[in-house]
Amino acid sequence: MARSSGNKNLSKDVQEAIVRGRINGMTNKQLAQQFQVTVQAVGQVWKRYMINKQVVVAPHPGRPVSTTRNMDRNIVRSSREDPRRNSTDIFKAVNSPIEPAPSRRTIRRRLNAHGLFGRRPVKKPFISKKNQKGSVAWAKAHLNWGRKEWAKHVWSDESKFNLFGSDGTKWVRRPIRTRYSPKYQVATVKHGGGNCMVWGCFSETAMGPLRRVNGIMDRYRYEDILESTMRPWALRNIGRAFVFQQDNDPKHTSLHVRSWFQRRRVDVLDWPSQSPDLNPIEHFWEELERQLAGVRASNADEKFAQLEAAWKAIPLSVVHALLDSMPHSCQAVIDAKGFATKY
């Protein structure tokens, strides 16, 4: 048992027992061993007794604790049941007519004391169990693919960007080193509104075009992007043997678009559903978001100009680094059993 370094935390009963021991002839060392305190602490208790002729316990400084142990347990339990609850939600959940109601600030202090700190959650898409298995299977099949194997592939995706700011900041309380635990992530759905939608692609040889999407992206508009933007660029940069990657969005897999692939004899990479962590283009969207954070755009035209300039400035070395890291991404998906990863 660890010994106390002083006598501030010794109760009055313990200090009185130490005094009785000294009166009965016990040494400071013997008393220190008996009560698991330091010899100096025993000496200080005896010295104060000799001065005051009685045991005096000084009151603890500061305000007394306003919550009971039972209330503290309820506060922590409420947060762990739903990490997205804020202090107001927890206040409503633990409020009891038989105990004093803690303040919101007290609730936050109790949570911090238990290692539950408010942090921004990682936003990752909801992934069904079926799609988790599909992602793991795909990752295992492509685990050893390097830049050479991906050389003829065209990676694509679309994303939306707000003119200014974000979709709103949400917080979650979680222990340290649990950032990518599924329990502490916020599930998202793609393209829920926004002001500027873009489609982009790239390959091992170059960054492809970034095209603005006006209106709703449907199968007809997507076919136009494939015909007038993607295919000409891919033929110039890779040749006829290119393989096209896309996610399993309904407009991408519609009969109308599948017919276009057949007519144009374009090979499409088999892709697992709900697996953005495997698509390296997601890193480019994050990079654009980071570069333009806090940059105001007065309209969608100006926003697209900002996005396009940042897109064209991405060096080829970043592309190569992302493709070289694909084995790590695949391994991370396997280790996470299909759940979201840090990639």
Side-chain angles (χ1 to χ4, degrees), residues 265-276:
R265 298 180 181 179
V266 174
D267 293 330
V268 179
L269 177 67
D270 184 32
W271 191 254
S273 298
Q274 295 181 304
S275 55

Side-chain angles (χ1 to χ4, degrees), residues 289-315:
E289 191 78 51
R290 185 190 65 81
Q291 288 191 25
L292 300 179
V295 179
R296 186 181 298 275
S298 59
N299 53 56
D301 292 335
E302 184 178 352
K303 186 66 176 183
F304 177 71
Q306 296 169 353
L307 292 168
E308 188 175 35
W311 177 267
K312 291 180 178 179
I314 297 175

Side-chain angles (χ1 to χ4, degrees), residues 114-132:
H114 285 79
L116 299 174
F117 302 99
R119 295 180 173 92
R120 291 186 179 182
V122 177
K123 292 186 177 182
K124 294 287 187 177
F126 170 79
I127 305 175
S128 67
K129 291 187 178 296
K130 176 183 177 181
N131 292 334
Q132 289 172 26

Side-chain angles (χ1 to χ4, degrees), residues 178-247:
T178 58
R179 176 178 176 84
Y180 294 99
S181 172
K183 181 178 180 181
Y184 303 109
Q185 295 175 357
V186 173
T188 61
V189 180
K190 290 189 73 176
H191 314 324
N195 292 310
C196 186
M197 177 83 74
V198 296
W199 176 94
C201 70
F202 77 95
S203 72
E204 190 266 344
T205 59
M207 292 296 295
L210 187 72
R211 175 162 167 175
R212 180 180 170 187
V213 179
N214 293 309
I216 298 175
M217 172 80 99
D218 57 17
R219 61 186 183 274
Y220 302 108
R221 185 168 278 112
Y222 186 59
E223 180 194 22
D224 179 65
I225 290 176
L226 297 176
E227 176 67 31
S228 61
T229 303
M230 186 280 293
R231 185 171 177 269
W233 178 85
L235 292 175
R236 289 194 307 269
N237 286 272
I238 301 176
R240 292 186 177 276
F242 74 88
V243 179
F244 183 66
Q245 180 277 335
Q246 61 177 6
D247 61 30

